[in-house]
Amino acid sequence: MIVGEQKPISEIKEIIAPYKKILILGCGTCVKTCFAGGEDEVAVLASALRLACKKDGKEIEIEEFTVERQCEDEFIREGAPAISRNEGVLSLACGAGVQALARRFVKIPILPGVNTTFIGVLEKQGVFTEECSGCGDCMLAIFGGICPFTRCAKKLLNGPCGGSQNGKCEVNPETDCAWQLIIERLKILGQMDNLRAYVPPKNWQTGLSGGPRKLVREDHII
Amino acid sequence: MTENFKPKITLFHCINAFDEAAELSLTDMDNCEMQTVKMACSSMVKDVFLLKAFEAGADGVVVLVCPESQCRYVEGNIRAKKRVAWVQNLLDEIGLDRRRLALGNMAAGDKAAAAQIINDVLKNLAELGPNPAV
Ligand code: SF4
Ligand code: SF4
């Protein structure tokens, strides 16, 4: 899922400062799971902003609404009436959701309330970890299901740097050494031979360095 | 402090920590106006409810829960403690001041402990004055 966190209230206050009627629009998918932008977070932020604005003597009307997914037009449509009766929309979706809204509602300012951070997993309740960089050429098959591009601080593809201590990365001792994990997993799988093959430098053109990517599924286009 | 300021307190309490008699003894305090919200377990204190209490005009909010490790539902009071801490940070961020909100652990029916926690908040409110967002 996409992991993000809500921007600080002071920044959000500045972002919405020019508006008197604002819709806080949540997204019920990834950002809900990471407690950044689901229905509950919309309610908390709306309440905190109402209190903050009242305290500062600023008049503002804040409406709350959450759609199932902000990155899909089909779901965004449900929010259309609320969006059109406000001067601006503070989106608590990821950057894709914010842009999907901006694409559809050209004349209304769509403002980000969340810092979109990474593609990750829920490691345990309340803890999210980055697992994938969306490189466009997945090699998890040879690395035992653990991504060295994302989880090794040096993005090493042909074995560890040798600096890890007690299974922790030398760059950040809070983080597991990805290569330690890869080797342990490959041992369990009986696939240590995977490490004999040289992995050539990554072709980053399939990643973001080749510019924004587009995925076309011709079979789904009429 | 604002003269003649009689603070409004919203008291969230778990029914296991706090029986009717204890509740009555506190709602009778004449140095504040008290509204109570009973919960089946303190884990039901969601951050939005605490903020809504301030939106509804409370000057201070008190959450009374059972002593740690004595929650009937195991970890309800720990969740309540974490949520209260989260909302205290929010209150600081929006300029309302974290001292308007407090959580206290009390053994079932310990009226003196409950009164002490409320009085501590009242002391803070005497300094902070009325809720500036009303
Ligand atoms: S190899 Fe690429 S696609 Fe696969 S997990 Fe790593 S970054 Fe993501
Ligand atoms: S210690 Fe492990 S994860 Fe850290 S840089 Fe070296 S190989 Fe990569």
Side-chain angles (χ1 to χ4, degrees), chain B residues 87-116:
Chain B
V87 175
Q88 281 174 326
N89 289 339
L90 277 179
L91 292 177
D92 269 349
E93 253 197 283
I94 60 180
L96 251 70
D97 202 304
R98 67 194 306 115
R99 290 173 295 164
R100 292 186 184 275
L101 170 64
L103 172 134
N105 298 90
M106 53 169 281
D110 185 350
K111 293 180 212 167
Q116 178 65 48

Side-chain angles (χ1 to χ4, degrees), chain A residues 24-79:
Chain A
I24 303 184
L25 189 63
C27 172
T29 310
C30 304
V31 287
K32 175 192 164 91
T33 312
C34 62
F35 311 112
E39 209 170 1
D40 288 356
E41 291 73 37
V42 168
V44 170
L45 180 64
S47 186
L49 285 175
R50 273 192 294 266
L51 286 165
C53 291
K54 263 203 161 171
K55 184 197 153 278
D56 298 344
K58 181 186 181 234
E59 270 185 40
I60 190 163
E61 269 181 54
I62 298 176
E63 190 174 345
E64 303 164 32
F65 195 69
T66 298
V67 295
E68 186 66 31
R69 266 208 290 287
Q70 264 185 51
C71 54
E72 274 185 56
D73 220 31
E74 211 173 302
F75 296 99
I76 292 175
R77 255 181 248 158
E78 282 170 37

Side-chain angles (χ1 to χ4, degrees), chain A residues 131-135 137-140 147 149-150:
Chain A
E131 309 282 326
C132 170
S133 312
C135 75
D137 178 21
C138 192
M139 301 183 79
L140 285 176
C147 174
F149 300 121
T150 311

Side-chain angles (χ1 to χ4, degrees), chain A residues 9 26 49 91-92 115 125-126 135 208:
Chain A
I9 299 225
L49 285 175
S91 163
L92 295 193
N115 289 327
Q125 185 70 1
C135 75
L208 195 58

Side-chain angles (χ1 to χ4, degrees), chain A:
Chain A
M1 70 174 167
I2 307 285
V3 178
E5 65 179 339
Q6 224 173 74
K7 285 179 175 289
I9 299 225
S10 52
E11 187 182 341
I12 293 181
K13 271 169 69 182
E14 270 176 42
I15 291 176
I16 63 166
Y19 311 100
K20 286 203 157 58
K21 276 180 83 170
I22 194 113
L23 170 71
I24 303 184
L25 189 63
C27 172
T29 310
C30 304
V31 287
K32 175 192 164 91
T33 312
C34 62
F35 311 112
E39 209 170 1
D40 288 356
E41 291 73 37
V42 168
V44 170
L45 180 64
S47 186
L49 285 175
R50 273 192 294 266
L51 286 165
C53 291
K54 263 203 161 171
K55 184 197 153 278
D56 298 344
K58 181 186 181 234
E59 270 185 40
I60 190 163
E61 269 181 54
I62 298 176
E63 190 174 345
E64 303 164 32
F65 195 69
T66 298
V67 295
E68 186 66 31
R69 266 208 290 287
Q70 264 185 51
C71 54
E72 274 185 56
D73 220 31
E74 211 173 302
F75 296 99
I76 292 175
R77 255 181 248 158
E78 282 170 37
I83 293 170
S84 55
R85 62 177 170 257
N86 280 281
E87 292 172 7
V89 178
L90 180 76
S91 163
L92 295 193
C94 71
V98 176
Q99 293 181 66
L101 281 183
R103 188 171 298 183
R104 185 168 175 87
F105 300 96
V106 213
K107 294 187 180 158
I108 298 177
I110 311 290
L111 315 156
V114 161
N115 289 327
T116 307
T117 318
F118 54 76
I119 303 174
V121 300
L122 176 71
E123 192 177 271
K124 60 178 190 181
Q125 185 70 1
V127 178
F128 305 88
T129 50
E130 184 166 19
E131 309 282 326
C132 170
S133 312
C135 75
D137 178 21
C138 192
M139 301 183 79
L140 285 176
I142 57 167
F143 296 127
I146 291 139
C147 174
F149 300 121
T150 311
R151 297 174 63 187
C152 165
K154 296 172 190 164
K155 301 194 185 307
L156 299 178
L157 303 184
N158 289 284
C161 68
S164 75
Q165 278 186 8
N166 304 320
K168 298 293 176 187
C169 173
E170 73 166 352
V171 174
N172 177 3
E174 302 277 298
T175 313
D176 291 331
C177 166
W179 271 100
Q180 170 105 16
L181 297 177
I182 291 170
I183 290 165
E184 280 169 6
R185 184 92 207 284
L186 289 178
K187 275 187 195 156
I188 293 170
L189 296 173
Q191 292 178 359
M192 281 294 277
D193 277 353
N194 286 6
L195 299 182
R196 289 186 192 284
Y198 165 69
V199 181
K202 183 117 182 105
N203 175 5
W204 290 107
Q205 275 180 327
T206 56
L208 195 58
S209 18
R213 293 159 283 176
K214 187 179 241 177
L215 178 75
V216 180
R217 279 287 302 264
E218 200 52 58
D219 54 327
H220 284 267
I221 300 174
I222 308 285

